[in-house]
Amino acid sequence: MKKRALSVLLAAAMVSTMLAGCSGGSSDSSSASADASATDGNVVKIGVYEPASGDNGAGGKQETLGIQYANYVTPTVEIGGTEYTVQLDIVDNESSNDKGPSAAAKLVGDKVSVVLGSYGSGVSIAASDVFKEAGIPAIGVTCTNPQVTEGNTHYFRICFLDPFQGTVHANFAKDKFNAKKAYVLTKLGDDYSTGLGYYFTQAFEALGGEVVAETFQEGNSDFTSYITSAKKAGADVFFAPSSTEAAALIIEQAAAQGLGMPILSTDTWDSNVILNAAKGKDLEIYVTTFYQEGANEEFDAGIKEWINSDSTAKANNGGDDTVSGLTVMGYDAYYTALEALKAAGSTDPAAVNEALWNVDYTGVTGHITFNETGDANRDTAY
């Protein structure tokens, strides 16, 4: 199936929810099967390509939790009339574009049938050719940059895209705050961060707004000068799409300096890391995300019980049982992979790749089908 150039409808509707209070070379790679024994019978391997360390380690762990919980709930799948145990093969891409391909190669060597991940568009793009050359399809969970699926037929994703997400924020800034000037802070060399900065700027300027933009470098921990710049510029909103690690520092320093304007950010800030960092601070923080806790009480109750029963799961969720949209998307991605395996009637990656185009699945986060680029047909954010 051929893909055409990406076209995104930027006028789609959105609901924005304020968070209360504010709201990897694979030397560390490992395999897990989430209570599913792989020692006997037929086994199908699903690769989990996610960061467990580095800037995006916290988000990657939460995304992986959703996949593991889904595997706990549904540890087997019927493929071509035969029941298979589903084994999760988990590797750490270390949040690194340089080390990601090695982690991806580990999954190729392990002969997985399909890959889930990654949290982080840059590491997804970095590993894409490894999966392409091996003929293994990948399903992005929350990697929102258009380049992930652009120009290939093996990478799919179940999330909305950055042109949509950036535009949602631009409209929100204008409609909610009557913002005329926005300060945009992005991370240099980060496809996700710079892409969102670009899409927000493009949309905000089209609405008649003015943008003051700056970038910070890898490893930066002092954001005081950027906060000062935003205040001096007279900005009405502070847009900062970044990793959770940088977010916690931005929040701490923004509160200390009395930022005095709402902070807007994207799906990476949907985390209890952000909630905890903002607790007790006089800040307004608004984020876009894929799922709002409370939207499905039965799901929330089940995964909370599972997280609280497992100390490792709880630690990987930041030490509590908050339900992140990342986790719910991981859960839905697992079932999307199962649907493709069932439709393919085979564990052969090529057959799974072909079957993915026609997957039609309704998950916790909504209805999942794919368009001509392999992107999900989604037009709503929370």
Side-chain angles (χ1 to χ4, degrees), residues 72-277:
Y72 166 79
V73 173
T74 308
T76 63
V77 60
E78 186 174 308
I79 304 172
T82 300
E83 186 173 60
Y84 283 75
T85 294
V86 182
Q87 178 180 325
L88 300 182
D89 190 348
I90 303 174
V91 297
D92 178 12
N93 61 41
E94 301 181 49
S95 309
S96 169
N97 294 357
D98 294 332
K99 296 177 181 178
S102 296
K106 167 70 165 56
L107 295 177
V108 171
D110 289 348
K111 302 187 184 307
V112 300
S113 294
V114 60
V115 171
L116 304 179
S118 174
Y119 178 88
S121 295
V123 285
S124 300
I125 295 165
S128 183
D129 282 349
V130 176
F131 298 135
K132 178 181 179 180
E133 289 168 13
I136 296 173
I139 304 171
V141 184
T142 63
C143 44
T144 51
N145 188 287
Q147 294 179 67
V148 173
T149 56
E150 223 166 47
N152 68 69
T153 58
H154 68 283
Y155 228 120
F156 299 75
R157 76 177 119 207
I158 65 167
C159 57
F160 52 64
L161 272 64
D162 289 338
F164 169 76
Q165 189 173 194
T167 300
V168 156
H169 271 292
N171 286 324
F172 185 65
K174 192 75 173 176
D175 296 342
K176 173 76 173 176
F177 305 109
N178 195 28
K180 295 177 174 58
K181 184 181 287 189
Y183 180 83
V184 177
L185 180 63
T186 58
K187 180 180 176 181
L188 192 65
D190 184 323
D191 293 320
Y192 172 84
S193 183
T194 57
L196 273 162
Y198 169 78
Y199 295 121
F200 174 89
T201 297
Q202 190 178 50
F204 191 70
E205 289 180 341
L207 293 168
E210 178 185 350
V211 168
V212 176
E214 290 190 275
T215 59
F216 66 91
Q217 303 234 0
E218 172 81 34
N220 181 75
S221 61
D222 185 357
F223 292 91
T224 55
S225 64
Y226 303 108
I227 293 160
T228 299
S229 292
K231 292 169 69 175
K232 283 185 176 178
D236 300 304
V237 294
F238 189 105
F239 182 60
S242 70
S243 68
T244 51
E245 186 172 85
L249 295 168
I250 291 170
I251 289 168
E252 184 71 35
Q253 294 164 33
Q257 288 186 260
L259 178 62
M261 69 189 76
I263 299 175
L264 310 183
S265 194
T266 47
D267 57 281
T268 53
W269 284 41
D270 174 27
S271 169
N272 48 7
V273 171
I274 309 306
L275 287 166
N276 292 332

Side-chain angles (χ1 to χ4, degrees), residues 294-378:
N296 186 317
E297 293 182 4
E298 183 179 358
F299 172 83
D300 290 352
I303 195 166
K304 282 175 178 285
E305 181 180 359
W306 178 75
I307 288 171
N308 287 317
S309 71
D310 187 314
S311 59
T312 300
K314 195 167 186 177
N316 287 341
N317 198 49
D320 62 31
D321 63 3
T322 302
V323 181
S324 167
L326 304 172
T327 303
V328 189
M329 290 290 281
Y331 182 88
D332 279 355
Y334 177 85
Y335 284 101
T336 301
L338 294 195
E339 288 299 307
L341 285 163
K342 289 189 286 187
S346 169
T347 62
D348 176 50
V352 178
N353 197 140
E354 188 59 33
L356 271 165
W357 294 104
N358 296 311
V359 161
D360 190 328
Y361 174 69
T362 299
V364 176
T365 63
H367 191 208
I368 298 169
T369 59
F370 298 109
N371 64 18
E372 294 173 356
T373 61
D375 292 315
N377 293 304
R378 287 187 184 254

